[in-house]
Amino acid sequence: MKNALGILVALSRFLFLIIILVSAFLYAMFQGGKVSWTVFYMILPFILYSGALFFYPLSSIAAERIIRTPIVKYGGRLAVSISINRRFRFPLLYMVATDKFADPGTAELTDGKQKHLFIFGMKNKVEWDYEIEQMPRGEHILEGVEIELSDFFGWIRKKHFIPLKQIVLVYPKISDVNYIPMDTQYDRGTMASPLNLVKDTTMATGIRDYQSGDRVSWIHWKSFARTQTLMTKEFEDRRSQELIVVLDSRPSEVFEEQVELAASIVMEASAHQAGLGFVTTGNERLLTPFIQSDGQLQHALIHLAKLKPSGDSTTGMSSHQASELKHGGSIILITANPNWAFIQSILENAGNVRSFTCLTVLKENGEKNGHLLEDIRIAKLHGVTVRTLTQKQFPEAFKEVTHL
């Protein structure tokens, strides 16, 4: 329907052009005299140019986009370069090119920089750059480049959309978090310790089949040379750390801060080689029972980049997530609403929990209202460690976290 309307508009403009030409010619014929023919011959070049522009094939114009900042973090800068090329030389008065975003809200951030006016002339190629400051977290889709041509008087206007889909992921902001393992299992018993050594890699006790996510340094190369089958060394578990980070995806005023804290903890715990699991609740659930490789860590960060608040304000942990987390461990819940019903749904599903800590994120200079204080009190009565913190306190998120 839209294409048919565009064709109809274009034909009406061309018909208007024919009417102007015929009217000018008839005026000169019947009026006669030097002035009448002068008017006709003065307007004739403009009409001929407009007619030629009408038949000019816009399909011969191509565009190329280069994202000069392939990795963008929340609040960072996106830099884009666009070039427009054409195969046929034809004098173009001007061209307006617009880089189209799928989300109109993202286009507003450009402050009109994604649109550019070219005096094309006879050139075959033109280029322009633009930047967007303070990019919001999320998946931003660039659909293509729209070009618009016009003649001198606007009699003929032509538009053409060049599909050029690209996706820009803006990752969540990462804060420096002073990570301290909450639990450390020795060969016997459990105790709190600031140390974290997942495996004693100096003492191999056997080999097993290679599994996706195993570190390259753990591969038993001698066995591979004999059997051409990848095998992984097994080490003595002197100390291990099992930490499950749960991000509450319910809508809140500090949802971006919650995502930032979750990403920061996952990055820091992974760097300390913790036995790390990551879960998000809500409509766009993610379950990663063990983050053991850079690929799994990247997958978690991509999910956090795309994550949006869930429309369901009561959504907890799914049954599938619960079945994968029955092995237990220390759980850190990142939320802005620590109501007991939500916490209880996680505790009932996770099972075999050694410790449960609720990090409640507040707005900067935000006060704890009576409802929040009551939720915290009830959670503490059930043995849950609750700590409230603002964005500035993220580096010390583990400072006051204690083992239950």
Side-chain angles (χ1 to χ4, degrees), residues 4-123:
L5 182 61
I7 294 173
L8 183 62
V9 171
L11 290 175
S12 64
R13 288 182 176 274
F14 185 70
L15 180 61
F16 174 73
L17 187 67
I18 298 299
I19 292 174
I20 293 177
L21 177 62
V22 172
S23 300
F25 178 74
L26 292 176
Y27 174 75
M29 284 289 294
F30 289 103
Q31 184 70 21
K34 184 176 181 181
V35 175
S36 302
W37 285 104
T38 301
V39 171
F40 173 75
Y41 286 119
M42 286 182 62
I43 202 172
L44 183 62
F46 296 101
I47 295 176
L48 292 177
Y49 175 81
S50 299
L53 181 63
F54 178 81
F55 291 103
Y56 180 75
L58 294 187
S59 59
S60 65
I61 300 177
E64 180 182 6
R65 184 194 301 112
I66 299 176
I67 306 296
R68 293 190 285 114
T69 50
I71 298 178
V72 185
K73 293 184 179 180
Y74 175 75
R77 178 178 61 91
L78 174 67
V80 179
S81 297
I82 295 180
S83 62
I84 297 177
N85 307 272
R86 59 174 181 161
R87 295 196 299 270
F88 306 118
R89 289 184 180 273
F90 179 82
L92 296 176
L93 178 62
Y94 70 85
M95 172 190 290
V96 177
T98 306
D99 202 8
K100 305 292 285 187
F101 284 85
D103 181 12
T106 306
E108 292 177 1
L109 296 174
T110 65
D111 195 23
K113 295 177 182 177
Q114 91 286 8
K115 181 181 291 188
H116 194 78
L117 172 65
F118 295 104
I119 307 299
F120 218 112
M122 297 293 291
K123 292 180 288 188

Side-chain angles (χ1 to χ4, degrees), residues 233-347:
K233 301 175 187 176
E234 285 192 314
F235 302 99
E236 181 179 354
D237 291 333
R238 300 290 292 275
R239 300 175 181 177
S240 67
Q241 166 76 18
E242 290 183 353
L243 175 66
I244 303 168
V245 179
V246 180
L247 174 61
D248 177 9
S249 298
R250 294 176 296 172
S252 73
E253 294 181 348
V254 289
F255 185 76
E256 290 300 326
E257 287 81 355
Q258 291 174 236
V259 174
E260 176 186 339
L261 179 59
S264 302
I265 292 176
V266 167
M267 284 285 291
E268 192 66 18
S270 178
H272 282 75
Q273 297 183 345
L276 178 65
F278 180 58
V279 177
T280 59
T281 65
N283 298 333
E284 302 177 27
R285 293 185 175 98
L286 172 72
L287 169 64
T288 307
F290 298 103
I291 297 179
Q292 297 178 328
S293 66
D294 291 340
Q296 291 169 326
L297 176 61
Q298 184 68 13
H299 177 66
L301 292 177
I302 290 174
H303 177 77
L304 284 173
K306 299 179 180 180
L307 186 65
K308 296 179 180 179
S310 170
D312 187 354
S313 60
T314 61
T315 303
M317 189 177 292
S318 68
S319 58
H320 172 64
Q321 291 171 322
S323 64
E324 292 290 340
L325 298 178
K326 289 297 184 182
H327 65 275
S330 299
I331 293 180
I332 290 182
L333 170 64
I334 300 172
T335 183
N337 182 19
N339 60 303
W340 173 244
F342 181 77
I343 294 175
Q344 188 178 29
S345 69
I346 296 175
L347 286 171

